[in-house]
Amino acid sequence: TVLSESNSQNQELGITSVDFMTTPQYMLKNDDGRCGDGNQQPLFCKCGWEIAWCEGNDEQSRRFTYIPLLPKNITTLAFWYNDLKTVDDRNFFVNVTQIKELDLSYNNITWVSAGVFDLMPNLTWLGLTFNPLSDLTALRNVLATPSLVYVVASYCHFPSFGEHFLDDVDVSNVQTIELSTNAMFGEFYLSPLCRLKKLKSLSLTHN
């Protein structure tokens, strides 16, 4: 998905690379890659093949306040370092309804609402790494998103699952969950995961 390209390609596009172990590999074109609707200048997204990076600039306190209109061939979006605090408005994604893979890592997200990804019916991969989520209800809302297959949510401060964590989740297609390096201490219930009928892989390392 988003994101393990060669260093030389990333340097040409001014992109910081991150390598998630559950992330498929892509390659980039060797061009300047600017894309988006241009309404947030001097910020620009970078596009290569089917991937777009819309990355804020902490040093200059410049951040994307919305997702720009991107080319229709874009199926993977990395929306990093934009100090996004909540994911609670489905219209936030109105410009990228075709997206299959979305990486919201490196923001400041504390909440994800139920149904917030409904405008992206093809979304199968979601990255939330390095966000201070901590509330298991937000994780429950993510896992209940019908289209999702892969969820990567390391370094999110999630606590241990309670016995009734997923009681109201009736439909989930999630197969892989990456939850390493959270805050899952003490008593831990795995029985709620039985409600995820298609789950094949779960990582809880470094908790």
Side-chain angles (χ1 to χ4, degrees):
T1 295
V2 180
L3 309 188
S4 181
E5 306 76 345
S6 69
N7 290 334
S8 61
Q9 288 169 321
N10 288 344
Q11 289 169 0
E12 289 177 15
L13 291 177
I15 294 166
T16 304
S17 71
V18 173
D19 183 10
F20 296 129
M21 70 178 185
T22 55
T23 299
Q25 309 298 303
Y26 286 83
M27 297 296 290
L28 285 175
K29 286 184 176 180
N30 291 319
D31 53 33
D32 65 6
R34 288 190 177 190
C35 59
D37 52 28
N39 291 337
Q40 300 191 81
Q41 295 186 28
L43 282 175
F44 292 91
C45 297
K46 301 281 189 177
C47 290
W49 286 7
E50 297 178 348
I51 307 173
W53 285 260
C54 297
E55 185 173 349
N57 188 321
D58 281 339
E59 292 180 1
Q60 300 178 24
S61 297
R62 294 172 178 167
R63 298 179 177 88
F64 288 93
T65 58
Y66 73 99
I67 297 176
L69 185 63
L70 297 170
K72 290 301 182 182
N73 69 308
I74 297 299
T75 59
T76 297
L77 170 62
F79 193 79
W80 295 337
Y81 299 109
N82 287 302
D83 201 31
L84 182 64
K85 298 185 185 304
T86 60
V87 184
D88 57 4
D89 181 4
R90 68 187 65 188
N91 289 322
F92 187 74
F93 304 103
V94 69
N95 285 335
V96 287
T97 56
Q98 77 278 13
I99 288 295
K100 297 178 181 179
E101 297 164 324
L102 174 65
D103 197 339
L104 298 175
S105 300
Y106 302 100
N107 279 284
N108 197 26
I109 299 169
T110 59
W111 177 250
V112 179
S113 294
V116 74
F117 303 115
D118 286 354
L119 290 182
M120 297 178 287
N122 299 316
L123 185 68
T124 59
W125 190 99
L126 179 66
L128 293 166
T129 296
F130 286 107
N131 282 292
L133 279 157
S134 72
D135 190 334
L136 282 175
T137 305
L139 179 59
R140 173 255 171 237
N141 292 340
V142 168
L143 296 177
T145 303
S147 64
L148 281 176
V149 177
Y150 304 96
V151 174
V152 181
S154 302
Y155 296 93
C156 289
H157 309 291
F158 285 125
S160 301
F161 302 150
E163 188 174 5
H164 302 289
F165 167 46
L166 296 174
D167 276 3
D168 57 347
V169 175
D170 296 321
V171 178
S172 176
N173 289 304
V174 171
Q175 296 180 18
T176 299
I177 308 174
E178 168 58 64
L179 290 172
S180 62
T181 320
N182 275 282
M184 298 180 175
F185 311 118
E187 193 171 28
F188 195 98
Y189 291 91
L190 287 176
S191 56
L193 297 177
C194 293
R195 299 188 68 87
L196 305 180
K197 302 299 185 183
K198 297 186 178 181
L199 185 64
K200 297 178 181 179
S201 176
L202 171 67
S203 176
L204 297 170
T205 58
H206 303 295
N207 275 288

